[in-house]
Amino acid sequence: MMDNATEEPRRCPARGSCPVFLAMSSGVVRYAPSGLGPALEGSLGERPWSTDSPPQPDEGLPPPLAANSIPWKSAGPCKGCREAPGDLVDTCTREEAPTEEGPAAAKLDMSRLRSSSMEIREKGSEFLKEELCKAQKELRLKDEECERLSKVREQLERELEELTASLFEEAHKMVREANMKQAASEKQLKEAWGKVDTTLFAEFQAWRESPTLDKSNPFLERVYREDVGPCLDFTMQELSALVRAAVEDNTLTIEPVALRTLPAMSVAPVECGSTNTCALSGLARTCHHRIRLGDSESHYYISPSSRARITAVCNFFTYIRYIQQGLVRQDAEPMFWEIARLRKEMSLAKLGFFPQEA
């Protein structure tokens, strides 16, 4: 049984132009096919009709259809209305519900959007604040580092200035000391020139212009007479003459006694004298060296005193040979003072003054 109720016309949710009018009351059903205009709908009226009686045709209108002769699926032309009547009612009700609650839902959505926007804005603001704090912290650290580097640079600049000042002061001091030493040397040189025989210097300058080893030269003749001759004048006159000739020819060899005998030598050298007697002076002395004259195989043991005298003469001849060969590039004055020093060494060796290692 169906309750007596009147249903308002519902519109198909799929199409707005296909209304379906349903009315149920006491077994009477009203039905208006879709597609009729409002004028026709009003002219139909509310004529009750029974399911047992045949339909009464209206004037100018097609006969009404029986309610039970048309299935619910084909009652309407729209696809969205192919459901049971109850489902159709519920669907239409659900479709109209948002329309009735639209403003409230819109307000709710707007409030949610606003809250979401504010939340996003707050989070963005917090993120920007955090980034700003980090940037400020990094900036402070960089400022501190720059300040520290600036202090280090200032300290280095001060130290550099102090070092430069000290170096300049030391350089000026060295220059002053050098000037003082040069002045003292010049003064000593002037004093020495006042004491030196100008004849000796004149003879040396003449020899320097054309250096030679000829003993007839005035300069060398004086040196031979005053220094070389007395220094090489030993007790054994014959051996002394041989030694002088070997020194002049630069063929004299002096070697330690430890090297006198070599196992590889096929011919043993001829020993003259012994290690306890000097072959030149004839005195009983411990001989640490021996001499060999030219290509001779004979060796002569000499004392430290005799060795010092021969060495002093050899040094003099070596220097004048360097001058002759052009190996000494100095002015006349330094050369003359070096020759004077070598002559002094010969005089001291002649008198018996010599280094202990000789």
Side-chain angles (χ1 to χ4, degrees):
M1 290 296 290
M2 298 180 61
D3 296 334
N4 293 333
T6 301
E7 294 290 339
E8 295 296 330
R10 298 297 182 181
R11 190 175 299 273
C12 177
R15 291 185 182 180
S17 62
C18 54
V20 178
F21 296 91
L22 301 177
M24 292 178 293
S25 61
S26 310
V28 180
V29 178
R30 292 181 304 181
Y31 171 76
S34 61
L36 299 179
L40 293 178
E41 292 176 0
S43 62
L44 290 176
E46 295 182 356
R47 296 179 180 179
W49 54 279
S50 175
T51 57
D52 296 332
S53 62
Q56 300 293 328
D58 295 333
E59 294 179 0
L61 294 175
L65 299 178
N68 57 357
S69 63
I70 299 174
W72 282 103
K73 290 185 178 181
S74 60
C78 61
K79 295 181 181 180
C81 298
R82 294 176 181 176
E83 291 92 0
D87 295 338
L88 180 62
V89 174
D90 295 339
T91 303
C92 295
T93 305
R94 284 195 300 269
E95 290 295 333
E96 290 181 358
T99 305
E100 296 176 357
E101 299 178 357
K107 291 181 180 180
L108 181 60
D109 293 340
M110 290 298 295
S111 62
R112 289 178 180 176
L113 289 175
R114 290 176 182 175
S115 61
S116 300
S117 176
M118 293 179 63
E119 184 178 359
I120 293 172
R121 188 180 301 174
E122 290 177 358
K123 290 183 178 180
S125 177
E126 292 178 358
F127 176 76
L128 292 177
K129 288 180 180 179
E130 292 178 358
E131 293 296 325
L132 179 61
C133 292
K134 290 181 181 179
Q136 291 177 350
K137 186 176 181 180
E138 292 179 358
L139 183 61
R140 285 195 300 270
L141 294 176
K142 290 182 179 180
D143 291 340
E144 293 176 358
E145 184 68 15
C146 292
E147 185 177 0
R148 186 182 67 82
L149 293 176
S150 178
K151 291 181 180 179
V152 171
R153 184 183 64 181
E154 293 177 357
Q155 183 178 0
L156 291 177
E157 289 178 354
R158 287 196 300 269
E159 293 179 356
L160 181 61
E161 291 178 358
E162 293 176 358
L163 180 60
T164 304
S166 62
L167 289 176
F168 272 111
E169 185 178 356
E170 187 68 20
H172 287 304
K173 182 179 179 181
M174 293 175 64
V175 171
R176 287 195 300 269
E177 292 178 355
N179 292 334
M180 293 175 63
K181 289 180 179 180
Q182 183 178 1
S185 299
E186 292 177 355
K187 182 179 179 181
Q188 292 177 359
L189 181 61
K190 291 180 181 179
E191 293 177 355
W193 277 114
K195 299 177 182 179
V196 171
D197 190 350
T198 55
T199 303
L200 296 175
F201 186 70
E203 293 176 352
F204 170 73
Q205 283 185 324
W207 174 85
R208 180 175 173 273
E209 292 177 359
S210 57
T212 179
L213 296 179
D214 187 3
K215 292 185 290 184
S216 61
N217 182 272
F219 170 68
L220 290 182
E221 191 275 332
R222 179 187 293 275
V223 175
Y224 267 94
R225 185 180 69 251
E226 295 179 358
D227 301 309
V228 175
C231 193
L232 295 180
D233 186 11
F234 296 99
T235 303
M236 304 298 177
Q237 295 294 324
E238 183 178 359
L239 184 58
S240 297
L242 295 174
V243 170
R244 181 184 299 179
V247 170
E248 293 174 359
D249 297 337
N250 197 22
T251 58
L252 185 140
T253 304
I254 301 176
E255 58 185 14
V257 174
L259 301 177
R260 62 179 181 174
T261 304
L262 296 176
M265 294 179 62
S266 58
V267 180
V270 179
E271 301 293 343
C272 299
S274 64
T275 57
N276 295 324
T277 302
C278 179
L280 291 174
S281 64
L283 299 176
R285 296 289 186 273
T286 302
C287 302
H288 300 287
H289 295 82
R290 63 182 183 178
I291 60 174
R292 183 165 57 88
L293 306 176
D295 296 334
S296 174
E297 297 296 334
S298 300
H299 291 76
Y300 302 91
Y301 292 97
I302 58 175
S303 63
S305 176
S306 299
R307 176 183 176 273
R309 292 166 67 175
I310 296 173
T311 302
V313 176
C314 290
N315 291 337
F316 171 76
F317 277 101
T318 300
Y319 187 69
I320 63 174
R321 288 192 187 97
Y322 286 165
I323 296 175
Q324 183 187 16
Q325 296 172 5
L327 300 177
V328 181
R329 298 180 180 180
Q330 291 180 342
D331 294 335
E333 295 178 5
M335 290 184 184
F336 178 78
W337 288 113
E338 181 63 19
I339 289 175
R341 187 188 68 80
L342 294 173
R343 294 183 64 184
K344 177 183 177 182
E345 293 294 331
M346 289 188 287
S347 299
L348 292 176
K350 179 183 62 176
L351 296 175
F353 295 99
F354 58 90
Q356 296 296 326
E357 61 271 13

